[in-house]
């Protein structure tokens, strides 16, 4: 029997609680509840658990990341508005001992120049952007695969 693996920690940054209402032409009409349901469904298919969270607070997000060391099998993070500003979140992610996938719903490469810089990418194993909320499902699948069989 193999050891049970910890959950995938899914972190959603600022304003993602407003998905569905917020600029639907960019972020689509799905809500954060829809994203959570998709993550749970995908994780269940992969035989892993999901710990799904959202916060507008940088400090709260850093606390979650630090607690994930040694407990979560991977982190999926959409840092949202903290992507291009937070060296502190990057530093917390660098403490984590497992795979990290950075997800953005929209295609940042063809949005404002200031969105192109990501500090978080420096700690990421992989990055997915521009696939809408499907990016979360891809990331969960890959994290579960890495948890079972590290690259
Ligand atoms: C979400 C946000 O809130 C923005 O600040 C990012 C990202 C893009 C997304 O596409 O998921 O620039």
């Amino acid at each position: 029997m193999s050891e049970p693996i910890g959950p995938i920690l899914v972190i959603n940054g600022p304003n993602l609680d407003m998905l569905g209402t917020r600029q639907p032409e960019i972020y689509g009409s799905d809500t954060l509840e829809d994203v959570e349901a998709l993550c749970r469904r995908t994780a269940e298919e992969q035989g892993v658990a999901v710990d799904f969270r959202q916060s507008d607070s940088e400090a709260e997000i850093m606390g979650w990341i630090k607690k994930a060391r040694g407990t979560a099998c991977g982190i999926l993070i959409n840092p949202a508005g903290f992507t291009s500003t937070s060296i502190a979140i990057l530093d917390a992610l660098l403490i984590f001992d497992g795979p990290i996938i950075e997800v953005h719903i929209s295609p940042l490469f063809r949005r404002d120049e200031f969105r192109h810089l990501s500090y978080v990418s420096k700690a990421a194993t992989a990055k997915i952007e521009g696939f809408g909320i499907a990016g979360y499902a891809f990331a969960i699948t890959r994290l579960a695969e890495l948890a079972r069989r590290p690259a």
Side-chain angles (χ1 to χ4, degrees), residues 115-147:
R115 294 181 198 274
H116 296 182
L117 169 70
S118 169
Y119 287 113
V120 166
S121 294
K122 294 248 171 244
T125 311
K127 178 168 167 172
I128 297 169
E129 64 180 69
F131 284 89
I133 72 165
Y136 282 75
F138 301 151
I140 297 271
T141 301
R142 180 63 180 148
L143 285 169
E145 199 173 273
L146 288 172

Side-chain angles (χ1 to χ4, degrees), residues 2-8 43 46-50 70-74 140 143-150:
S2 55
E3 288 285 303
I5 53 176
I8 294 170
Q46 295 293 327
V48 291
V50 140
T71 58
C73 71
I140 297 271
L143 285 169
E145 199 173 273
L146 288 172
R148 283 192 299 267
R149 190 171 40 83

Side-chain angles (χ1 to χ4, degrees), residues 32-129:
L32 191 62
E33 287 70 32
D34 296 327
V35 177
E36 178 169 3
L38 175 63
C39 288
R40 293 198 184 284
R41 212 164 49 238
T42 309
E44 201 178 319
E45 284 163 15
Q46 295 293 327
V48 291
V50 140
D51 182 356
F52 190 93
R53 298 162 187 235
Q54 188 277 329
S55 179
D56 290 347
S57 155
E58 190 175 17
E60 192 171 32
I61 291 173
M62 284 157 54
W64 293 340
I65 295 168
K66 286 184 273 190
K67 285 208 180 89
R69 189 183 158 89
T71 58
C73 71
I75 295 179
L76 182 170
I77 183 165
N78 182 345
F82 291 139
T83 307
S84 312
T85 63
S86 185
I87 296 171
I89 289 179
L90 165 64
D91 286 343
L93 288 168
L94 290 170
I95 298 167
F96 184 63
D97 51 356
I100 296 167
I101 301 189
E102 178 182 353
V103 173
H104 300 280
I105 294 167
S106 64
L108 296 186
F109 49 84
R110 61 173 165 80
R111 295 188 61 198
D112 322 89
E113 193 83 23
F114 61 81
R115 294 181 198 274
H116 296 182
L117 169 70
S118 169
Y119 287 113
V120 166
S121 294
K122 294 248 171 244
T125 311
K127 178 168 167 172
I128 297 169
E129 64 180 69

